[in-house]
């Protein structure tokens, strides 16, 4: 998997700055004061830049870059606007400004004793992500065989107390690795990330202390998961459910995280248009987020009980594939008329949600899925849609999302929407049509939530793979949700 950039922490020493290669970033506070020890020529050019109209237009978290600055051997000097009173979002944005420019050279960050230096490091790591495993070396480049780890960027933070900052940054490093794991999974092509490969990657997390088990098709059939199994009938790759457990919180009932893991979605017999179908490699985004959260919890040894369950399937059309008009029975025992085979994610979640509640009796259930295009119509690519039967839980989630800078918006549930999925032939149908599509999908899922079970459904279709980059992520998978759920677990479920 892609690893966050290596960051080391050392005491501030400006005497040797003139001969340091690569890039140098300096944090600039309200007074525009430069650190002592800069070469005279560098100080002069930096002061001139700080007096310019260009710098005056830079807001907190932004930067101004000077190429090949006088007095330095470095190829660039980056001036970062970050007042001492800056908040978490501004500090991460400032780190992202450095991370976006990393390349494959050494970067030195003069952080002094800034109180948000750890958040700066997290923002740097998140924005410095690259997914280039399928990029071959171009003519004249260093070969892949000889390039190795030496070509990766390295960052040195010069600060007042290196040991204290390193300790403070540890939690952020665990979060960054979880986000990277999620991004890698979502970015992988479906010919690589099959259901089997996905399950194997999760099994490998046993090395971190997670308990991981894989339920195969025979076991799923015995459990009665016919809704989930129906989705994968047309695929050569077998359907699976993977259960990950982190037990760090004593005897408390676990929080259950459930993720949709459709590794590729053609739409099945109700086949999607060709344009844009290549992005359906991201339809396992919910499962990717659950996996990333579980990895983060294990890495930071969280004092909480959390179980992560993911349903892994592929939705393909062939002679065995599920048809519109078919009727299947869920693990719960409810029957479902399939009116659209492209409304498959809710079928996967229905069975896994019921299994999670029946087996683990969780304190709360949160599911994540790239479930509907309708949520993109409603909220665009800046907010995930949240649906819930429990006000305190959803408010805690919204608060966590706000604290982490991940957009989330609560959407309604109501009996009037529920009626849209009633059908004369079965207990329900799997689609209510175009009107209120994200809401009727959530109403469908709510039918598989036990009475009095706190539950939130998060539709991440718009935020998992937006059309462009974000503040903390280059173009591609964002890993939305790992930070929010980790924050929620810290604040609400972790033993104090």
């Amino acid at each position: 998997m892609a690893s966050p950039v290596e960051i080391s922490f050392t005491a501030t020493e400006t005497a040797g700055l003139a001969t340091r290669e690569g890039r140098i970033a300096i944090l600039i506070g309200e007074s525009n004061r430069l650190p002592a020890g800069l070469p005279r020529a560098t100080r002069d050019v930096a002061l001139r830049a700080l007096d310019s109209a260009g710098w005056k237009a830079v807001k907190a978290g932004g930067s101004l870059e000077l190429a090949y600055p006088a007095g330095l051997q470095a190829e660039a000097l980056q001036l970062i606007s970050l007042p001492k009173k800056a908040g978490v979002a501004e500090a991460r944005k400032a780190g992202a400004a450095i991370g976006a420019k990393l390349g494959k050279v050494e970067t030195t960050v003069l952080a002094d004793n800034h109180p948000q230096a750890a958040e700066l490091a997290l923002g740097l790591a998140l924005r410095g992500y690259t997914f280039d495993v399928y990029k071959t070396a171009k003519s004249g480049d260093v070969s892949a065989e000889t390039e190795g780890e030496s070509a990766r960027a390295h960052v040195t933070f010069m600060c007042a107390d290196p040991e204290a900052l390193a300790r403070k940054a540890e939690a952020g490093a665990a979060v960054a690795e979880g986000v990277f794991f999620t991004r890698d999974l979502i970015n992988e092509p479906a010919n690589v990330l099959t259901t089997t490969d996905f399950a194997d990657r999760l099994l490998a997390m046993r090395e971190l202390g997670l308990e991981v088990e894989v339920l195969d098709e025979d076991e799923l059939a015995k459990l009665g998961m016919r809704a989930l199994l129906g989705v994968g009938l047309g695929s050569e790759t077998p359907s699976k459910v993977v259960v990950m457990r982190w037990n760090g919180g004593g005897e408390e009932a676990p929080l259950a995280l459930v993720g949709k893991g459709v590794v590729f979605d053609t739409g099945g017999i109700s086949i999607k248009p060709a344009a844009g179908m290549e992005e359906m490699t991201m339809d396992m985004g919910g499962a990717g987020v659950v996996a990333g959260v579980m990895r983060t919890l294990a890495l930071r040894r969280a004092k909480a009980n959390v179980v992560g369950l993911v349903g892994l399937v592929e939705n393909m059309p062939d002679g065995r594939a599920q048809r519109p008009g078919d009727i299947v029975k869920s693990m719960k025992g409810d029957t479902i008329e399939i009116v659209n085979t492209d409304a498959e994610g809710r079928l996967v979640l229905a069975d896994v949600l019921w299994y999670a509640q029946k087996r683990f009796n969780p304190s709360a259930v949160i599911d994540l899925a790239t479930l509907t295009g309708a949520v993109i119509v409603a909220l665009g690519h800046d907010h995930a849609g949240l649906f819930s039967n429990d006000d305190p839980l959803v408010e805690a989630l919204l608060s966590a999302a706000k604290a982490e800078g991940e957009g989330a918006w609560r959407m309604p549930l109501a009996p009037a929407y529920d009626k849209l999925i009633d059908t004369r032939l079965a207990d329900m149908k799997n689609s209510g049509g175009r009107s209120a599509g994200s809401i009727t999908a959530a109403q469908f899922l709510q039918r598989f939530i036990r009475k009095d079970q706190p539950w939130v459904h998060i539709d991440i279709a718009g935020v998992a793979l937006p059309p462009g980059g974000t503040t903390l992520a280059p173009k591609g998978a964002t890993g939305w949700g790992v930070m929010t759920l980790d924050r929620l677990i810290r604040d609400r479920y972790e033993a104090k």
Side-chain angles (χ1 to χ4, degrees), residues 47 96 177 295 326 339 396 423 466:
L47 287 172
E177 185 166 328
R295 189 176 192 89
D326 285 359
V339 297
T423 177

Side-chain angles (χ1 to χ4, degrees), residues 56-106:
K56 290 179 173 64
V58 174
K59 297 181 180 180
S63 69
L64 182 67
E65 183 164 316
L66 308 177
Y68 301 100
L72 295 177
Q73 196 166 328
E75 64 186 49
L77 176 65
Q78 200 173 5
L79 305 175
I80 308 293
S81 176
L82 195 64
K84 290 285 188 181
K85 295 182 179 179
V88 169
E90 292 168 327
R92 290 180 182 176
K93 181 181 177 182
I98 303 170
K101 301 281 189 176
L102 285 181
K104 294 184 177 179
V105 298
E106 173 80 20

Side-chain angles (χ1 to χ4, degrees), residues 126-279:
L126 292 173
R127 186 57 181 83
Y129 172 85
T130 58
F131 187 80
D132 56 7
V133 294
Y134 300 108
K135 294 276 191 179
T136 55
K138 303 296 187 294
S139 176
D141 288 351
V142 179
S143 72
E145 290 77 12
T146 60
E147 193 174 28
E149 289 297 318
S150 62
R152 293 193 67 231
H154 178 269
V155 178
T156 299
F157 266 65
M158 289 189 174
C159 54
D161 189 341
E163 290 185 7
L165 180 54
R167 287 194 301 270
K168 202 171 181 181
E170 280 181 5
V175 170
E177 185 166 328
V179 171
F180 277 33
F181 191 58
T182 297
R183 289 178 181 176
D184 281 0
L185 289 168
I186 295 173
N187 282 328
E188 284 283 10
N191 62 319
V192 173
L193 191 74
T194 63
T195 57
T196 300
D197 181 78
F198 200 149
D200 287 345
R201 295 187 192 206
L202 302 186
L203 282 168
M205 290 202 291
R206 287 173 172 171
E207 297 176 357
L208 303 178
L210 285 167
E211 295 178 17
V212 186
E213 60 182 302
V214 179
L215 307 180
D216 62 20
E217 288 187 339
D218 287 342
E219 292 171 288
L220 300 179
K222 290 177 183 176
L223 288 166
M225 291 195 189
R226 300 295 177 184
L228 181 150
L229 288 170
V231 176
L233 287 175
S235 175
E236 292 295 322
T237 185
S239 299
K240 301 175 184 290
V241 169
V242 182
V243 180
M244 298 162 280
R245 300 182 69 180
W246 177 254
N247 301 308
E251 300 300 318
E252 297 295 323
L255 168 68
L257 306 178
V258 176
K260 169 190 170 184
V262 181
V263 295
F264 193 77
D265 182 21
T266 64
I269 299 299
S270 307
I271 198 163
K272 294 177 180 289
M277 196 193 290
E278 71 279 1
E279 291 191 347

Side-chain angles (χ1 to χ4, degrees), residues 394-415:
V394 76
E395 289 302 325
L397 241 174
L398 288 167
S399 177
K402 183 177 181 181
E404 296 300 325
E406 295 189 314
W409 193 263
R410 189 175 187 181
M411 301 283 283
L413 291 170

Side-chain angles (χ1 to χ4, degrees), residues 468-492:
T470 67
T471 300
L472 297 180
K475 185 175 180 179
T478 62
W480 187 104
V482 174
M483 294 193 297
T484 291
L485 291 170
D486 180 66
R487 166 74 68 166
L488 176 75
I489 292 163
R490 285 175 182 274
D491 292 348
R492 188 178 173 91

